[in-house]
Amino acid sequence: DASLAFPQATPASKFPPCEELAVRNKVRECMEKEIAPIMPKYWEKAEFPFHVIPKFAALCIAGGTIKGYGCPGLSITGTAICAAETARVDVSCSTFILVHSCLGMLTIALFGSEAQKQKYLPSLAQFNTVSCFGLTEPEHGSDASTLETTASQVPGGYILNGQKRWIGNATFANLLIIFARNATTNQINGYIVKKDAPGLTATKIENKIALRIVQNGDILLKKVFVPDEDRLPGLNSFQDLNKVLAVSRLMVAWQPIGVSMGVYDMCHRYLKERTQFGAPLAAFQINQQKLVQMLGNIQAMMLVGWRLCKLCDKGKMTMGHVSLGKSWITARARETVALGRELLGGNGILSDFLVAKAFCDVEAIYSYEGTYDINSLVTGREVTGFACFKPGA
Ligand code: FAD
């Protein structure tokens, strides 16, 4: 289907040796050749294409910045480029990898014991096992820090009771990272729960209009026993958890950059190919203005994303920085894909063209990893010193 063809990536040999360009080229090539042609079908069916997992494994990107344990030890920018390049073709695939790599695996890498890292990370890095990240609950989305799932200490381990909602990869993940409140100390801790643990059920959330390929699940934990050795010893508060969320938020900020790039490429080609009133659509001033507005947005988004990576590299990125970046970039992506949808006319609402799928998927990015509003309030708190999450607080 010509509508799914992307301009070819510049061959790697034309670039000087550079990790970030090399990773961009390898991910782009895989996404364009192997993934792009099949995604509209899976998006329509809201099914996950399990047969592509080995293709992601071959890219050796799972684990991102994690060094050792079979992980690639990429730079922050290299990891962000993976998020963008996967999202350029399909945000669902990008989200599958991010949840597994930058939430699940990173949590184990940052807070796991040496034994846990050695036991779990090599297999996760190869996608032989898949992880998910269970924070959100039915009654606690934006206020996830007040989560109600409990962990009660018993001889040899903990009993987990509670519910989780919206958890990406939940229906098939082998390792579920579950956050729960210690019933005695009230502390938030993290637990590695196995897929087949008695008392654990994960049910797919149906009828999504965005990220239809991602298998988001409701998780029910009914007296689930987790042995002592599967509690993450380094995670003892929501502040600890924020260390993972800062990095994953930075990676999520690069997804809308990638989506916008994919939509821009599609529109650029479409406008040159389709003729109306005896001229290519690209020859009309209004269309050019829209295309250039998209391009300007993308340039600015990339610069903000790149700046965040550099701050993160230096250990200077605050939650306010990354929240501003994620919310601002996502808002620009919403504008960009909406312009792209207009430019394709009627074809802009067909899911077999990239643009309609991207248009819907951006809505999910706008709301996950902190909604636009919550991220604005995080930055607002940092720049004013006033926290205004809670009315009257
Ligand atoms: P709510 O918190 O109910 O918010 C509803 C509206 O109220 C929003 O507009 C919000 O901005 C606004 N609002 C809320 N509080 C305030 C306030 N104090 N001031 C101003 N406005 C406010 N979670 C996980 O743990 N793991 C996952 O893998 C995961 N994947 C997800 C994938 C998808 C596709 C989606 C949609 C969500 C996912 N989530 C996941 C959950 C996600 O993080 C939450 O949906 C998000 O934090 C928002 O919570 P909520 O949906 O409950 O909205």
Side-chain angles (χ1 to χ4, degrees), residues 99 133-136 141-142 165-168 211 216 364 367-369 371 373-374 377 389:
V99 167
F133 182 88
L135 173 61
T136 305
S142 296
R165 180 151 173 84
W166 282 119
I167 311 308
L211 295 186
N216 290 97
S367 291
Y368 69 37
E369 193 61 56
T371 65
D373 310 307
I374 291 298
L377 296 183
F389 298 92

Side-chain angles (χ1 to χ4, degrees), residues 11 39 64 93 115 128 161 302 307 349:
M39 279 309 137
C93 285
N128 290 332
N161 280 298
M302 287 187 96
R307 174 77 181 133
I349 65 158

Side-chain angles (χ1 to χ4, degrees), residues 77-100:
T77 312
T79 311
I81 286 171
C82 293
E85 285 297 328
T86 46
R88 180 172 173 271
V89 167
D90 185 72
V91 192
S92 294
C93 285
S94 181
T95 300
F96 159 71
I97 296 171
L98 272 190
V99 167
H100 168 70

Side-chain angles (χ1 to χ4, degrees), residues 111-313:
F111 305 113
S113 65
E114 188 52 38
Q116 287 169 337
K117 289 188 237 183
Q118 285 185 13
K119 183 173 175 190
Y120 296 118
L121 289 177
S123 160
L124 291 163
Q126 289 297 312
F127 285 99
N128 290 332
T129 46
V130 170
S131 66
C132 72
F133 182 88
L135 173 61
T136 305
E137 298 184 350
E139 302 305 327
H140 299 284
S142 296
D143 64 351
S145 60
T146 56
L147 62 86
E148 292 179 57
T149 297
T150 55
S152 308
Q153 198 149 12
V154 292
Y158 297 83
I159 297 285
L160 268 54
N161 280 298
Q163 293 178 61
K164 297 287 170 183
R165 180 151 173 84
W166 282 119
I167 311 308
N169 309 344
T171 56
F172 60 91
N174 313 80
L175 302 179
L176 298 89
I177 312 293
I178 298 290
F179 302 96
R181 190 174 292 286
N182 185 297
T184 313
T185 65
N186 215 27
Q187 232 178 27
I188 291 177
N189 298 111
Y191 301 84
I192 302 171
V193 182
K194 313 280 167 46
K195 181 189 184 174
D196 51 6
L200 177 87
T201 44
T203 318
K204 181 180 168 186
I205 297 176
E206 303 282 359
N207 306 329
K208 288 187 295 167
I209 62 145
L211 295 186
R212 287 174 57 77
I213 295 165
V214 178
Q215 306 294 296
N216 290 97
D218 280 317
I219 296 176
L220 182 62
L221 299 133
K222 248 181 159 174
K223 296 186 185 164
V224 175
F225 176 74
V226 180
D228 279 327
E229 65 263 26
D230 283 338
R231 184 176 80 79
L232 297 164
L235 198 150
N236 295 304
S237 66
F238 201 80
Q239 284 68 37
D240 288 337
L241 197 49
N242 266 336
K243 291 176 193 154
V244 179
L245 294 177
V247 176
S248 60
R249 193 160 293 175
L250 170 55
M251 296 309 144
V252 167
W254 277 81
Q255 288 186 312
I257 299 175
V259 186
S260 303
M261 282 161 41
V263 169
Y264 174 85
D265 288 343
M266 167 68 79
C267 291
H268 183 267
R269 192 176 54 74
Y270 188 87
L271 292 183
K272 289 178 96 168
E273 279 176 6
R274 184 167 163 81
T275 297
Q276 290 291 285
F277 297 96
L281 292 176
F284 301 121
Q285 290 181 340
I286 293 178
N287 288 345
Q288 284 194 12
Q289 191 275 329
K290 288 177 183 171
L291 199 63
V292 171
Q293 194 179 335
M294 292 165 74
L295 188 59
N297 276 353
I298 293 167
Q299 300 287 327
M301 289 152 78
M302 287 187 96
L303 279 171
V304 171
W306 178 81
R307 174 77 181 133
L308 286 173
C309 288
K310 295 299 146 195
L311 285 171
C312 189
D313 273 340

